[in-house]
């Protein structure tokens, strides 16, 4: 048996606009998905958590299975464990894909390869998202820490690799970077979950339709890109007030694009008075919001008073890793 895990993520700046090549910043969170793989002894088909694996129901698992093959081709039993809630904007499906890549690499006795896991998982996510997916979720889950995507190779950041993909007939390129940020010890990120499922593919499609029908609204994606760039520089400089302000501005543009929801707005309003900045995170339409705060307990309490579930997360959680077997 082998076991690998990968973290979820939250997006500090740039969701949706990043699909169209605008800059964005995400960081890993302290919730993870774990994949255990074992050779299937009893049945001659692949199994998923005790049931026959259905490729139609899990296209991204099927894609990864076809890309990282094991020599003997014997069926395997996949067990999924994890704490990242599904369809919450915290990258549970990207983390699952990345952890599966890591477990399959281990089964092949290959060295752990975060770059391969990031690339294969990106393709898998894109096919599940109707061909439109940035590599942000999968790269953050693979490499951990802070991940910046940009349309240019940025000075002052550590370049990882360039990824390209055709989106709506146009080729987009994302340059992936990471960096070490010194976050003041008294600043935390609080994640608040509405408990309402948001569909990433539906929200990405909704934005695509809006831009197709109203091409002038593309300016809002450019605005998100400009806010993201300012927010990333503020984070590098450790100016947390400016980071928070950019987060709130980013949220206002996301709301105008139509990807917020009444539940998200309620949690955001509750968290705002105790926070430096608040925004939805991920695809929206439900799912989670985040708050940058110096008063994390107060922020958690305010979100919970409004019926949300909240937790405090650290920055700099590790990316894909092999888990030791007990
Ligand atoms: C989803 O976590 C982030 C989106 O920007 C989609 C993507 O980047 O592929 C909404």
């Amino acid at each position: 048996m082998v076991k690998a895990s990968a973290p979820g993520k939250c997006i500090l700046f740039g969701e949706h606009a990043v699909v169209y090549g605008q800059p964005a910043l995400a960081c890993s969170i302290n919730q993870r998905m774990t994949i255990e793989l074992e050779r299937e002894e009893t049945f001659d088909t692949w199994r998923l958590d005790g049931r026959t694996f259905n490729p139609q129901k899990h296209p991204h698992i099927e894609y990864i299975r076809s890309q990282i093959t094991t020599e003997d081709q014997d069926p395997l039993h996949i067990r999924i464990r994890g704490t990242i809630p599904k369809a919450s904007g915290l990258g549970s499906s990207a983390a699952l894909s990345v952890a599966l890549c890591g477990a399959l690499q281990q089964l092949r006795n290959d060295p752990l390869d975060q770059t391969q896991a990031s690339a294969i998982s990106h393709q898998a996510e894109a096919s599940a998202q109707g061909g439109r997916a940035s590599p942000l979720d999968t790269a953050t889950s693979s490499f951990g820490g802070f991940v910046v995507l940009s349309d240019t190779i940025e000075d002052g950041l550590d370049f990882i690799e360039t990824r390209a993909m055709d989106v709506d007939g146009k080729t987009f390129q994302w340059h992936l970077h990471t960096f070490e940020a010194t976050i003041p010890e008294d600043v935390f990120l609080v994640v608040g979950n509405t408990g309402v499922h948001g569909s990433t593919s539906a929200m990405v499609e909704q934005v695509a339709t809006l831009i197709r029908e109203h091409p002038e609204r593309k300016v809002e994606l450019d605005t998100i890109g400009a806010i993201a760039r300012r927010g990333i520089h503020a984070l590098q400089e450790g100016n947390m007030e400016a980071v928070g302000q950019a987060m709130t501005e980013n949220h206002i543009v996301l709301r105008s694009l139509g990807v917020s929801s009444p539940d998200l707005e309620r949690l955001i309003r509750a968290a705002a008075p105790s926070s430096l900045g608040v925004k939805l995170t991920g695809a929206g339409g439900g799912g989670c919001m985040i708050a940058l705060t110096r008063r994390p307990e107060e922020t958690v309490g305010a979100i919970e008073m409004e019926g949300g579930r909240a937790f405090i997360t650290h920055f700099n959680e590790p990316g894909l890793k092999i888990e030791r077997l007990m």
Side-chain angles (χ1 to χ4, degrees):
M1 187 163 86
V2 294
K3 194 169 168 185
S5 80
K9 62 91 204 14
C10 66
I11 300 178
L12 291 167
F13 301 110
E15 49 272 267
H16 287 290
V18 69
V19 175
Y20 301 88
Q22 294 291 337
L25 167 69
C27 72
S28 52
I29 58 171
N30 53 11
Q31 295 191 331
R32 305 180 75 82
M33 297 303 281
T34 301
I35 294 282
E36 291 172 9
L37 290 180
E38 201 173 3
R39 301 216 183 264
E40 178 56 58
E41 306 285 350
T42 323
F43 298 89
D44 58 4
T45 54
W46 278 56
R47 313 249 299 153
L48 179 63
D49 282 333
R51 290 160 184 251
T52 303
F53 170 67
N54 179 349
Q56 268 94 45
K57 260 177 107 181
H58 303 281
H60 51 305
I61 295 184
E62 177 58 12
Y63 179 79
I64 292 165
R65 189 168 85 123
S66 73
Q67 296 298 305
I68 310 181
T69 52
T70 48
E71 252 164 39
D72 53 20
Q73 300 287 329
D74 283 349
L76 298 174
H77 194 155
I78 307 172
R79 287 196 186 82
I80 304 174
R81 308 270 176 271
T83 48
I84 311 172
K86 254 181 148 178
S88 61
L90 299 180
S92 66
S93 97
L96 190 156
S97 296
V98 170
L100 178 60
C101 289
L104 284 165
Q105 289 166 352
Q106 205 184 340
L107 206 69
R108 287 168 50 93
N109 286 322
D110 290 346
L112 191 73
D113 184 345
Q114 293 171 320
T115 307
Q116 184 201 45
S118 163
I120 293 179
S121 303
H122 178 211
Q123 288 292 344
E125 290 286 288
S127 49
Q129 270 173 230
R132 295 186 201 95
S134 80
L136 187 59
D137 293 16
T138 43
T140 310
S141 188
S142 299
F143 298 107
F146 289 105
V147 170
V148 172
L149 262 57
S150 176
D151 48 354
T152 54
I153 296 183
E154 301 281 342
D155 286 341
L157 299 178
D158 302 327
F159 174 71
I160 306 175
E161 58 161 345
T162 299
R163 295 205 47 75
M165 186 172 274
D166 286 343
V167 179
D168 292 336
K170 216 178 144 204
T171 303
F172 285 97
Q173 260 201 349
W174 296 274
H175 301 291
L176 274 60
H177 311 72
T178 185
F179 65 96
E180 299 273 325
T182 324
I183 308 292
E185 275 181 12
D186 63 338
V187 175
F188 299 86
L189 211 50
V190 168
V191 180
N193 191 347
T194 60
V196 177
H197 285 188
S199 156
T200 301
S201 55
M203 299 316 288
V204 168
E205 176 64 36
Q206 185 181 310
V207 173
T209 306
L210 180 77
I211 303 298
R212 200 170 44 243
E213 290 174 358
H214 303 278
E216 72 284 359
R217 303 285 300 265
K218 210 183 142 289
V219 73
E220 288 165 58
L221 302 178
D222 301 341
T223 305
I224 291 179
I227 295 170
R229 203 173 282 287
R230 175 155 48 81
I232 292 163
H233 287 143
L235 189 75
Q236 281 184 285
E237 283 166 5
N239 182 348
M240 302 314 274
E241 274 70 21
V243 174
Q245 186 174 340
M247 285 168 63
T248 303
E249 285 175 31
N250 189 160
H251 179 72
I252 291 166
V253 189
L254 286 167
R255 187 167 62 198
S256 102
L257 279 174
V259 296
S260 191
S261 74
D263 296 296
L264 280 167
E265 290 301 314
R266 222 183 37 253
L267 302 192
I268 283 171
R269 258 197 314 276
S274 59
S275 303
L276 300 171
V278 273
K279 67 184 277 293
L280 71 82
T281 190
C288 290
M289 47 73 65
I290 50 170
L292 189 74
T293 175
R294 288 206 168 87
R295 287 140 61 190
E297 273 86 21
E298 200 179 324
T299 308
V300 166
I303 293 170
E304 289 182 341
M305 283 286 284
E306 283 299 328
R309 269 166 289 144
F311 64 93
I312 303 170
T313 181
H314 306 117
F315 297 95
N316 275 331
E317 290 294 322
L320 172 62
K321 67 175 189 192
I322 299 301
E323 295 288 339
R324 286 159 69 85
L325 294 166
M326 294 299 166

